[in-house]
């Protein structure tokens, strides 16, 4: 298992699913900006000339201008030309928002512990917004303590977007994706086997222009030469990618959960992130699990670690915690440190990471992990971990 090839993909902000994620997170931020206690579950669907906003909202905010937010977000992505089949100024925006189910709300507002155990602990007050299991991960392969395949894939799609926006590759359009297949020997990355880049382009762009431009201005500027040597590079393998974005493929919120996390390096619990406030542990507990894992690796107690946490809806305290250090640490010892240092109750997570603030548009594109500006990427628990060893 230490000699293998792992593939991970990323998509640009113009990918139809990411357009939906971005709108959903923009609406969430708008609600949190006016009411930090907002309970939002926003879903978006996009197709040719159409964006539909759905979900369940419970907020003290008098008015969220869904039309304005959706259009400005679509324009920010780059869909401002009717010729693309999806245009911020002319597409229809349908608002289909409902209130949050009272059956769910009662367990979030007053947890099982608060109702049955009469707990007075403020972090026992809020129950998990759903059942499920969430995963966190960190490893020493990269400076960000993220797996290298997904790190390289995100760097490629970021570079695609930069080359489009700057005009360096003027034939590019907003939609695009990339995949990196990386070979490991004895658990260490040794070289890229394949790079795949599929980029939406203008009709007049010919094959030579596409391949030369993307290889020279994107791939070679992102992937280190020592890793790229001998790699197969595939640019738009179908031969043509003019019709793209929501006009080429329907977009839906929450379909890029592997892109959003660790690129398939570890299991995934199945819950998506975008459009959900932090009472939804699909999102908040995944962020916290990453925070825990990153600090464990940075503290030197292991070189690689996966953490799984399980929740019951309406219950504040997790029903399970599991760690796997893949032989790089003492699992039982690490689990003991986790239980001693970290608090996985939703209210404690929100308090620790500041998840009642409008920060979620920052997360939507190019992965929810590995960005140093996000609070769950901070290494402020390292000394507490070392003290607990």
């Amino acid at each position: 298992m230490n000699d293998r090839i792992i593939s991970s993909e990323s998509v640009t902000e113009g990918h139809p699913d990411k357009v939906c994620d971005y709108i959903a997170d923009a609406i969430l931020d708008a609600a949190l900006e006016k009411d930090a206690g907002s309970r939002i579950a926003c879903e978006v669907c996009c197709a040719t000339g159409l964006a539909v906003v759905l979900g369940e909202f419970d907020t003290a905010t008098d008015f969220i201008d869904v039309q304005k937010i959706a259009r400005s977000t679509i324009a920010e992505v780059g869909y401002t030309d009717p010729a693309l089949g999806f245009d911020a100024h002319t597409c229809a925006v349908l608002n289909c928002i409902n209130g949050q189910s009272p059956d769910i709300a009662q367990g979030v507002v007053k947890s099982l512990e608060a109702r049955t155990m009469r707990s007075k602990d403020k972090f026992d007050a809020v129950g998990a917004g759903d059942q499920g299991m969430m995963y966190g991960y960190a490893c020493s392969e990269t400076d960000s303590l993220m797996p290298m395949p997904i790190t390289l894939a995100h760097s490629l799609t970021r570079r695609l977007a930069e080359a489009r926006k700057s005009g360096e590759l003027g034939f590019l359009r907003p939609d695009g994706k990339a995949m990196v297949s990386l070979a490991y020997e004895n658990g260490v990355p040794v070289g890229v086997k394949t790079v795949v880049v599929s980029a939406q382009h203008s009709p007049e762009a010919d094959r030579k222009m596409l391949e030369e431009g993307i290889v020279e201005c994107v791939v070679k500027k992102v992937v280190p030469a020592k890793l790229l040597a001998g790699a197969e590079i595939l640019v738009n393998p179908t031969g043509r990618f003019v019709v793209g974005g929501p006009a080429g493929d329907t977009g839906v919120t929450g379909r890029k959960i592997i892109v959003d996390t660790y690129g398939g390096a570890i299991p995934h619990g199945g819950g998506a992130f975008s459009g959900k406030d932090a009472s939804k542990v699909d999102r908040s507990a995944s962020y916290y699990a990453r925070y825990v894992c990153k600090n464990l690796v940075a503290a030197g107690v292991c070189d690689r670690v996966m953490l799984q946490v399980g929740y019951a809806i309406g219950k504040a305290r997790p029903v399970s915690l599991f760690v796997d250090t893949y032989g790089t640490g003492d699992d039982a010892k690490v689990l003991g440190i986790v239980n001693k240092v970290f608090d996985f109750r939703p209210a404690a997570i929100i308090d620790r990471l500041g998840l009642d603030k409008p920060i979620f548009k920052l997360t939507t594109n190019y992965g929810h992990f590995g960005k140093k500006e996000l609070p769950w990427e901070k290494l402020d628990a390292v000394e507490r971990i070392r003290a607990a060893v």
Side-chain angles (χ1 to χ4, degrees):
M1 288 298 292
N2 283 330
D3 293 344
R4 54 188 176 171
I5 298 174
I6 294 179
S7 296
S8 295
E9 73 160 346
S10 176
V11 299
T12 66
E13 65 258 45
H15 186 283
D17 294 332
K18 275 295 153 196
V19 173
C20 296
D21 285 346
Y22 206 37
I23 294 170
D25 278 334
I27 291 170
L28 170 61
D29 277 355
L32 292 173
E33 191 171 3
K34 295 182 178 180
D35 174 18
S38 294
R39 298 286 179 258
I40 306 295
C42 184
E43 310 282 347
V44 180
C45 179
C46 289
T48 304
L50 175 65
V52 184
V53 180
L54 312 99
E56 298 78 44
F57 288 23
D58 183 0
T59 177
T61 304
D62 292 333
F63 178 65
I64 299 174
D65 195 338
V66 170
Q67 283 268 345
K68 182 178 179 180
I69 295 168
R71 293 187 189 283
S72 64
T73 304
I74 293 166
E76 186 180 339
V77 169
Y79 288 109
T80 55
D81 182 354
L84 296 177
F86 188 70
D87 171 41
H89 309 295
T90 60
C91 71
V93 178
L94 302 184
N95 184 341
C96 303
I97 295 170
N98 293 310
Q100 186 182 46
S101 162
D103 297 339
I104 295 174
Q106 69 177 358
V108 175
V109 174
K110 193 172 185 180
S111 72
L112 181 66
E113 289 86 345
R115 284 181 282 123
T116 63
M117 297 166 53
R118 303 292 191 269
S119 173
K120 300 300 183 182
D121 188 325
K122 67 176 182 178
F123 292 146
D124 272 340
V126 177
D130 202 352
Q131 71 174 43
M133 61 282 189
M134 297 82 215
Y135 288 88
Y137 183 72
C139 61
S140 56
E141 292 176 15
T142 61
D143 291 342
S144 64
L145 304 186
M146 285 288 287
M148 190 174 288
I150 190 64
T151 300
L152 291 173
H154 285 323
S155 296
L156 286 168
T157 50
R158 276 184 181 275
R159 177 62 191 144
L160 264 182
E162 289 169 1
R164 170 177 65 87
K165 294 173 183 178
S166 68
E168 185 177 357
L169 296 180
F171 55 79
L172 290 178
R173 296 294 181 262
D175 197 358
K177 58 173 62 178
M179 186 171 74
V180 174
S181 300
L182 187 67
Y184 288 73
E185 292 180 3
N186 297 318
V188 177
V190 294
V192 172
K193 287 296 185 181
T194 309
V195 175
V196 184
V197 179
S198 295
Q200 185 186 12
H201 58 85
S202 60
E204 62 271 14
D206 61 30
R207 187 76 189 163
K208 183 179 180 182
M209 182 189 302
L210 280 166
E211 289 187 346
E212 289 184 355
I214 289 174
V215 170
E216 296 299 323
C217 297
V218 178
V219 178
K220 289 185 177 180
K221 287 195 175 183
V222 166
V223 183
K226 65 179 181 180
L227 291 177
L228 194 59
E232 179 183 25
I233 302 175
L234 302 173
V235 176
N236 286 16
T238 67
R240 182 178 170 85
F241 187 3
V242 173
V243 179
D249 188 11
T250 300
V252 180
T253 305
R255 284 205 298 206
K256 287 294 174 280
I257 57 176
I258 301 302
V259 171
D260 287 345
T261 52
Y262 304 100
I266 64 164
H268 193 287
F273 300 158
S274 289
K276 297 178 181 178
D277 73 88
S279 71
K280 282 75 172 174
V281 285
D282 283 338
R283 186 169 212 167
S284 56
S286 295
Y287 290 171
Y288 196 65
R290 161 63 178 172
Y291 170 72
V292 172
C293 289
K294 186 175 183 181
N295 277 269
L296 287 169
V297 172
V301 299
C302 53
D303 292 329
R304 180 183 174 204
V305 62
M306 177 189 73
L307 184 150
Q308 185 205 68
V309 55
Y311 288 91
I313 188 169
K315 190 176 186 297
R317 298 169 187 265
V319 298
S320 66
L321 276 173
F322 165 76
V323 297
D324 184 355
T325 63
Y326 305 92
T328 68
D330 183 326
D331 288 357
K333 184 177 180 180
V334 172
L335 182 59
I337 293 169
V338 171
N339 280 314
K340 183 177 181 180
V341 175
F342 298 99
D343 190 339
F344 281 83
R345 291 174 292 178
I349 293 172
I350 293 168
D351 180 73
R352 183 71 187 178
L353 300 181
L355 299 184
D356 55 355
K357 298 177 176 61
I359 61 171
F360 295 103
K361 273 186 72 177
L362 295 173
T363 69
T364 314
N365 296 306
Y366 311 111
H368 290 241
F369 307 122
K371 301 172 184 172
K372 60 183 179 181
E373 67 270 22
L374 297 174
W376 44 94
E377 296 296 321
K378 292 180 180 178
L379 296 176
D380 56 5
V382 169
E383 293 308 318
R384 287 188 290 139
I385 290 171
R386 288 173 177 164
V389 173

